[in-house]
Each structure stands twice: as structure tokens, then as C-alpha cells.
């Protein structure tokens, strides 16, 4: 039996989503780019190659190979993001959501500290995750933070649909962590903490707020 024909190209320009992912997440391999954007590995690689041909991204070799923005890519992203925000007329909505996110952000940082350290005889010690009850309490607090962050994600997605990927990725990370894959709290490229940090960077980049 002959192999099935290749799927037709839908003509979608995936370059902007991939460029945006590298801007918000930094240096990343193809698999991480695919996971962040919701693309297949082949789609992500094709988009990355196209961006490299245009001089917007470059592939870094070495023991941890991956892709990153060039100076031209960073400038192109900033121009495109500013234009997207103004053309959609949603700056006020995104800024309002960012203010609500900023209220939650210190809590996320505190929870990551609580996950990495736990009190032993009243003294903070590295959490070896040998106390399931302690970990469960911290995960419950992550779940509560996630519940309160979801309306912020919803408002951002209503303003700019690309923000909905954060809702999906945060939910996936929390589900993995609560199912026992605890690296998805803060020690994985798709962890809750990593995705949260990318959302934070995305909001800063979208609104043109310097670090």
C-alpha cells in the first residue's frame, strides 16, 4: 500500500507566534517552541527555518542547542507587537489585566519558595519532597492561585486571542504536578513557574514596559 499523501499546507503564517514565543521564553529548542505555541514539531521547525532565512532568529549550537532572536528579530517583534496592540484597540484592557496579574505575581514567587524550602524544626531547609502532606498543602495553594488567575487569562484572551495559550499551559502544568510529576511546579521548561514567567514577560513586551 502506498504511503498516504502529505497533509496539505493550510497556508497559515506561524512565524509571528514562533517569534513571540522566543521573545517571551528566551533561548529554546524546537520541541519547547512547539509545546509553547501548540504547533507540531515539524510546523515549529519550518517556521523557525523561515525566520532564520529572514535573519530574525539564529540557531545556537553547543551542548544545549536551541534558537534565539537576533537583534533584527527583537526589533521586528517589538514593532509587530506594538502595531497589533494599537490596531486591536485593546491597550487599556491589557493594561488593566496586567495590573491584576501584578497583584498575584508576588504570591507566585512566595509559593515557589515554599515549594523549594520547607521548615524543619523551625528552620528553612531544602525541600526533599519527603513530606507528601506538606507538598499537597503547597499544591493546593498553587491551585487556588491558578483559580484566581484564570479570569485574568480570560480577559487577556478576549483582548488578544494569543494569550489563551497561557491558560492552557498553566492548567496542563498544574494537572501534571497534581498527578505526581512534581517537576511541573518549578523544575521543567513547561512548569507552572516557567509558563507564569513567560506570561509576565509577554505582558511587559506587549505593553512596552521595560524590565
Amino acid at each position: 500500500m502506498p504511503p498516504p499523501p502529505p497533509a496539505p499546507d493550510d497556508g497559515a503564517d506561524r512565524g509571528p507566534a514562533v517569534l513571540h514565543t522566543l521573545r517571551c521564553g528566551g533561548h529554546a529548542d524546537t520541541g519547547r517552541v512547539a509545546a509553547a505555541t501548540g504547533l507540531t514539531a515539524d510546523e515549529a521547525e519550518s517556521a523557525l527555518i523561515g525566520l532564520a532565512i529572514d535573519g530574525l532568529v539564529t540557531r545556537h549550537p553547543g551542548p544545549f542547542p536551541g534558537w534565539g532572536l537576533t537583534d533584527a528579530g527583537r526589533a521586528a517583534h517589538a514593532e509587530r507587537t506594538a502595531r497589533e496592540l494599537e490596531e486591536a484597540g485593546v491597550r487599556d484592557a491589557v493594561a488593566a489585566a496586567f495590573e491584576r496579574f501584578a497583584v498575584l505575581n508576588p504570591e507566585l514567587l512566595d509559593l515557589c519558595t515554599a515549594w523549594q524550602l520547607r521548615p524543619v524544626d523551625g528552620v528553612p531547609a531544602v525541600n526533599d519532597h519527603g513530606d507528601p502532606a506538606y507538598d499537597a498543602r503547597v499544591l493546593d495553594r498553587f491551585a487556588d492561585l491558578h483559580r484566581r488567575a484564570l479570569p485574568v487569562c480570560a480577559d487577556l484572551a478576549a483582548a488578544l486571542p494569543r494569550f489563551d495559550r497561557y491558560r492552557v499551559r498553566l492548567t496542563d502544568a498544574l494537572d501534571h504536578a497534581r498527578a505526581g510529576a512534581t517537576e511541573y511546579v518549578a523544575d521543567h521548561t513547561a512548569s507552572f513557574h516557567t509558563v507564569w514567567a513567560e506570561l509576565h514577560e509577554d505582558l511587559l513586551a506587549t505593553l512596552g514596559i521595560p524590565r
Side-chain angles (χ1 to χ4, degrees):
M1 176 181 294
D9 187 350
D10 61 12
D13 181 4
R14 300 178 176 92
V18 169
L19 194 72
H20 191 72
T21 293
L22 291 176
R23 169 61 182 84
C24 299
H27 180 88
D29 62 21
T30 303
R32 183 176 174 186
V33 170
T37 55
L39 299 173
T40 67
D42 286 346
E43 289 169 341
E45 183 174 30
S46 177
L48 285 163
I49 291 171
L51 291 168
I53 291 171
D54 291 338
L56 303 180
V57 305
T58 186
R59 189 175 188 278
H60 302 283
F64 302 103
W67 298 85
L69 297 186
T70 62
D71 289 342
R74 184 172 285 270
H77 174 270
E79 180 182 348
R80 184 183 185 281
T81 302
R83 185 171 64 250
E84 174 193 42
L85 188 67
E86 296 310 317
E87 288 179 353
V90 294
R91 173 175 287 277
D92 288 348
V94 174
F98 175 61
E99 289 181 4
R100 292 159 59 204
F101 175 87
V103 172
L104 299 175
N105 193 53
E107 186 174 346
L108 181 279
L109 300 178
D110 289 344
L111 285 179
C112 287
T113 299
W115 181 255
Q116 293 162 346
L117 301 172
R118 68 180 176 91
V120 177
D121 297 329
V123 178
V126 174
N127 184 11
D128 62 3
H129 304 294
D131 184 345
Y134 176 84
D135 282 1
R137 289 195 299 272
V138 178
L139 284 175
D140 284 344
R141 292 172 60 194
F142 269 101
D144 179 64
L145 174 65
H146 179 248
R147 176 186 58 78
R148 287 179 284 122
L150 285 176
V152 178
C153 292
D155 287 349
L156 286 169
L160 293 173
R162 62 175 168 77
F163 276 107
D164 195 49
R165 280 296 301 165
Y166 293 105
R167 175 191 61 79
V168 173
R169 296 172 65 205
L170 287 170
T171 300
D172 283 351
L174 184 60
D175 287 347
H176 275 90
R178 303 198 82 175
T182 53
E183 67 272 20
Y184 278 85
V185 175
D187 298 311
H188 192 281
T189 57
S191 72
F192 194 95
H193 175 248
T194 298
V195 177
W196 185 282
E198 289 178 16
L199 172 55
H200 191 186
E201 188 65 27
D202 195 338
L203 286 164
L204 294 175
T206 298
L207 293 169
I209 300 173
R211 273 266 180 204

